[in-house]
Amino acid sequence: MDPHPTAEYLYNGVQISHVDQFLQYAQSADASDVHLCSGAAPHWRRNGQVQPMFPDAEILTEGHTRMLAESFLGAERLNVLDTRGDIDFAYDGGYGRFRASVVRQRVGFDLVFRIIHAQLRSLQELGLPDTLKSLIQYHNGLVLVTGPVGSGKSTTLAALVNAINQERTDHIITLEDPIEYLIPSANCHVTQREVRTHTKSFAAALRGALREDPDVIMVGEMRDLETIQLAISASETGHLVLGTLHTGSAARTLDRVLDVFPSDQRDQIRVMVSESLRGIVSQQLIPRADGQGRVLALEVLTNNSAVANLIRDGKTFMLPGVIQTGRRAGMKLMDDSLMELLEAGLITGQEAYVRCEQKTLFRKFMNA
């Protein structure tokens, strides 16, 4: 890091010298993310849209972003940033928790923060269906929560884990990058580990977790072959495994899981997944039509004999039909969720169209 003095950053005559000043303001304005990047004015994401934090704000220079990085990283993390060029971790400012990412780029530094709501919310408070609660009644198997970045996967996963924590007497291990929600032990004993702080990788943490007498394992992200393989094996050997992937539907989730394996292993893996899968929840957060926040759209798949047969036979493209006929069992297609929100006037036709699978069905609502 450059040790030379850095320029002050002023807005309306007020000196801003610490990231906390930006973060507390963003928190009070109910923003979800803060972007402090060299060569741009401070921005935040509110209601799903990236916008300037202040009108006519000064552009952040390399000196400004260096000063802001130094204001909260500390010597050890500054050294990691200087050596590696990027660092990700959970930042606790004493007034709230944030998922922080700092990277060195061509014209300085980019600091991006995701605001983590400190209060754990229940499945009911999040407006999630009772079907999700049925998925965590099992004592083994695999439950996947999927969706794009910023779709609320971590919030849903934390609610599922805390529901188990309140209702069962188990050992829960969470493996996260970074730890977002702090989950105090209730009826369960909860152990939370952070990748790169407490362990080298998700795979290493998952291997270690299997030796720690767990009942429930939450894997923050199943991002590589080894982690996915270990998660499937754990779900088959008496553990309930909850994990996330960045996929947009149940069918694409299963394709992603299966496609990471070498072709000569896929027949065996399809059988294993067909037997261990409990359910898949795919979600999106969509800006409300009135501009007041975002609303949740949800696809839900629960495993049954028809679903298991399609997975074994490699016919995941037929899953939407099974989901549609499984409504009485609590299943729901993303397109049906979008249509319900559209008909209720909660989202615009344009938002529904860009997120739907059946474009021809939604095209007539484009201007709604």
Side-chain angles (χ1 to χ4, degrees), residues 339-353:
M339 186 62 76
E340 290 174 6
L341 295 172
L342 181 59
E343 290 176 343
L346 294 174
I347 62 174
T348 66
Q350 175 68 26
E351 293 288 357
Y353 178 78

Side-chain angles (χ1 to χ4, degrees), residues 294-330:
R294 293 183 290 174
V295 65
L296 182 68
L298 210 62
E299 177 166 293
V300 181
L301 167 75
T302 54
N303 200 359
N304 58 24
S305 58
V307 171
N309 286 336
L310 291 179
I311 296 172
R312 273 194 299 269
D313 295 340
K315 297 180 178 178
T316 54
F317 64 91
M318 297 178 65
L319 284 172
V322 175
I323 295 173
Q324 204 155 35
T325 58
R327 290 179 182 176
R328 289 186 178 179

Side-chain angles (χ1 to χ4, degrees), residues 70-84:
E70 291 174 348
S71 74
F72 84 110
L73 284 180
E76 184 177 343
R77 286 181 172 137
L78 281 170
N79 184 57
V80 172
L81 178 62
D82 190 39
T83 303
R84 198 172 68 195

Side-chain angles (χ1 to χ4, degrees), residues 282-286 295-299 334 337-338 341 347:
S282 299
Q283 57 186 66
Q284 301 183 56
L285 282 174
I286 305 172
V295 65
L296 182 68
L298 210 62
E299 177 166 293
M334 180 61 72
S337 183
L338 291 170
L341 295 172
I347 62 174

Side-chain angles (χ1 to χ4, degrees), residues 142 144 146 222 224-225 228-229 232 245 247 250-261 266 269 273 277 280:
L142 182 64
L144 299 174
T146 76
M222 294 166 55
D224 56 63
L225 170 60
I228 292 172
Q229 193 168 37
I232 293 171
L245 288 117
T247 48
R252 281 197 287 274
T253 298
L254 287 166
D255 289 341
R256 175 74 61 82
V257 168
L258 297 169
D259 287 349
V260 300
F261 289 89
R266 286 181 195 161
I269 295 300
V273 172
L277 182 71
I280 299 173

